[in-house]
Amino acid sequence: MLILSILTSFITAVFLSRFLLSLLVESRWLDRKKGWFGVKKKHIVDIQDTDENTEPYTPFQKWDFTSKRKIFFIFSSAVTVAGIIILLVFKLNLGIDFASGARIEVQSDHKLTTEQVEKDFASLGMEPDTVVLSGEKSNIGVARFVGVPDKETIAKVKDYFKDKYGAEPNVSTVSPTVGKELARNALYAVAIASIGIIIYVSIRFEYKMAIAAIVSLLYDAFFIVTFFSISRLEVDVTFIAAVLTIVGYSINDTIVTFDRVREHMKKRKPKTFADLSHIVNLSLQQTFTRSVNTVLTVVIVVITLLIFGASSITNFSIALLVGLLTGVYSSLYIAAQIWLVWKGKELKKGTEQ
């Protein structure tokens, strides 16, 4: 579904929206309402009075994104170190998808309590590791067990809760072998995605941009993992799906910035680090509005999922929300800034020679 939506949005954004906009422009219907195109009167400049070196207007042209890069490097490094310590201390609250065990979902037509569910399982000689209540009326109890119960125990559980609450519980089990395989495949997925991005960006742009983009992506993924560690949210397969989704979203935001950098690099060949810094800063200024508008649009959808979505995708939505916010930060203050420093050192060496 993600692939289909990406292809569809690409076709509509590149072809359909341009075609509709061109119809409006050619109709001359909006000639007297240039503000509808997002252009204010004070920013309208006669093309005859400009030259190719004139800087295009951007609402964030007074913002300097590159001058404080060392502060953000220190901040990002501090967050990474703190995240490593948090992971070592709290570890991850692994779901049965990775830790192996059983997950039993008990449904009732009235409100349940944690003590009541634990007492029910105790009568069956079972002690759940955790019990979490969900549903609008707290009528769903989800119990997690370490270790996989045998078939006879599962049959007793189903009969007991069906007789008591009128609904047979949902039982999910994952063996240790399957849990390890899922964890291994998750790491493979992130690694393969990263390698694919490096190859593509290296061919399309340059390898320095590819490495800088991957560093920012790893920061995004690590930040989400750290957030789930400290918040004790359960890490399951949907969490991996959320991380990979953020990887795709964040690299898209970073590529837009790098593409603008490349455009400016073609127009003016930087000779000093100051020239290069100006190009990166100008590119960030021009793409910042696009980044904010895009992330806010997606955030609205994610918040809607959190409010109205099923409880089974709550953690997925939370991971998306955290990743979206940190993705904007990493595109502005990690990927672009790393490339600036790296490319600047290469420029200095070339100047010295």
Side-chain angles (χ1 to χ4, degrees), residues 318-334:
I318 293 174
L320 278 182
L321 182 60
V322 174
L324 287 170
L325 297 177
T326 188
V328 175
Y329 168 81
S330 65
S331 296
L332 292 172
Y333 294 108
I334 295 181

Side-chain angles (χ1 to χ4, degrees), residues 94-103 144-145 172-174 179 234-235:
L94 296 176
I96 63 170
D97 295 332
F98 300 112
S100 78
R103 179 181 181 275
R144 201 179 85 181
F145 298 85
S172 304
T173 60
V174 177
E234 187 177 278
V235 174

Side-chain angles (χ1 to χ4, degrees), residues 15 25 47 50 183 208 229 248 251 285 339 352-353:
F15 298 105
V25 173
I47 296 178
T50 63
K208 291 184 179 65
S229 175
I251 189 63
Q285 290 170 351
W339 180 84
E352 292 175 356
Q353 293 176 355

Side-chain angles (χ1 to χ4, degrees), residues 52-53 203-206 209 257-271 275-276 278-280 282-283 286 339 343:
E52 61 179 7
N53 295 320
I203 295 173
R204 190 71 179 84
F205 298 91
E206 61 175 54
M209 288 184 175
T257 302
F258 281 155
D259 189 53
R260 189 58 58 88
V261 170
R262 184 182 61 173
E263 289 178 359
H264 289 305
M265 291 279 285
K266 289 180 178 179
K267 293 179 180 178
R268 63 188 78 183
K269 300 294 182 180
K271 298 180 180 179
D275 295 339
L276 190 64
H278 173 73
I279 289 175
V280 173
L282 181 62
S283 301
Q286 293 174 349
W339 180 84
K343 192 72 174 180

Side-chain angles (χ1 to χ4, degrees), residues 90-163:
F90 295 100
K91 301 187 183 312
L92 288 173
N93 180 24
L94 296 176
I96 63 170
D97 295 332
F98 300 112
S100 78
R103 179 181 181 275
I104 302 177
E105 184 179 288
V106 179
Q107 298 184 12
S108 173
D109 57 358
H110 61 273
K111 183 178 180 180
L112 296 174
T113 63
T114 303
E115 294 76 14
Q116 182 181 353
V117 175
E118 290 177 345
K119 187 177 180 180
D120 287 334
F121 281 108
S123 65
L124 294 169
M126 302 174 68
E127 184 178 352
D129 185 50
T130 58
V131 175
V132 179
L133 300 179
S134 61
E136 294 181 0
K137 300 179 180 179
S138 296
N139 61 328
I140 301 175
V142 180
R144 201 179 85 181
F145 298 85
V146 177
V148 180
D150 54 41
K151 294 181 179 179
E152 294 181 0
T153 302
I154 293 176
K156 289 180 181 179
V157 169
K158 289 184 176 181
D159 292 337
Y160 175 85
F161 285 104
K162 185 176 182 180
D163 293 338

Side-chain angles (χ1 to χ4, degrees), residues 123-289:
S123 65
L124 294 169
M126 302 174 68
E127 184 178 352
D129 185 50
T130 58
V131 175
V132 179
L133 300 179
S134 61
E136 294 181 0
K137 300 179 180 179
S138 296
N139 61 328
I140 301 175
V142 180
R144 201 179 85 181
F145 298 85
V146 177
V148 180
D150 54 41
K151 294 181 179 179
E152 294 181 0
T153 302
I154 293 176
K156 289 180 181 179
V157 169
K158 289 184 176 181
D159 292 337
Y160 175 85
F161 285 104
K162 185 176 182 180
D163 293 338
K164 185 169 184 178
Y165 298 118
E168 189 174 280
N170 297 320
V171 181
S172 304
T173 60
V174 177
S175 66
T177 303
V178 174
K180 290 180 181 179
E181 184 178 352
L182 286 172
R184 184 170 58 252
N185 288 342
L187 293 175
Y188 287 162
V190 176
I192 291 172
S194 300
I195 293 172
I197 291 171
I198 290 176
I199 294 173
Y200 167 73
V201 178
S202 297
I203 295 173
R204 190 71 179 84
F205 298 91
E206 61 175 54
Y207 78 93
K208 291 184 179 65
M209 288 184 175
I211 300 300
I214 290 300
V215 171
S216 69
L217 294 185
L218 293 177
Y219 178 86
D220 295 338
F222 181 75
F223 191 91
I224 299 173
V225 171
T226 303
F227 179 84
F228 267 62
S229 175
I230 197 171
S231 63
R232 307 313 300 159
L233 292 171
E234 187 177 278
V235 174
D236 53 15
V237 173
T238 60
F239 171 82
I240 302 302
V243 171
L244 289 174
T245 302
I246 289 302
V247 165
Y249 173 85
S250 183
I251 189 63
N252 178 55
D253 202 29
T254 304
I255 288 299
V256 170
T257 302
F258 281 155
D259 189 53
R260 189 58 58 88
V261 170
R262 184 182 61 173
E263 289 178 359
H264 289 305
M265 291 279 285
K266 289 180 178 179
K267 293 179 180 178
R268 63 188 78 183
K269 300 294 182 180
K271 298 180 180 179
T272 64
F273 183 83
D275 295 339
L276 190 64
S277 178
H278 173 73
I279 289 175
V280 173
N281 197 51
L282 181 62
S283 301
L284 291 173
Q285 290 170 351
Q286 293 174 349
T287 57
F288 183 68
T289 303

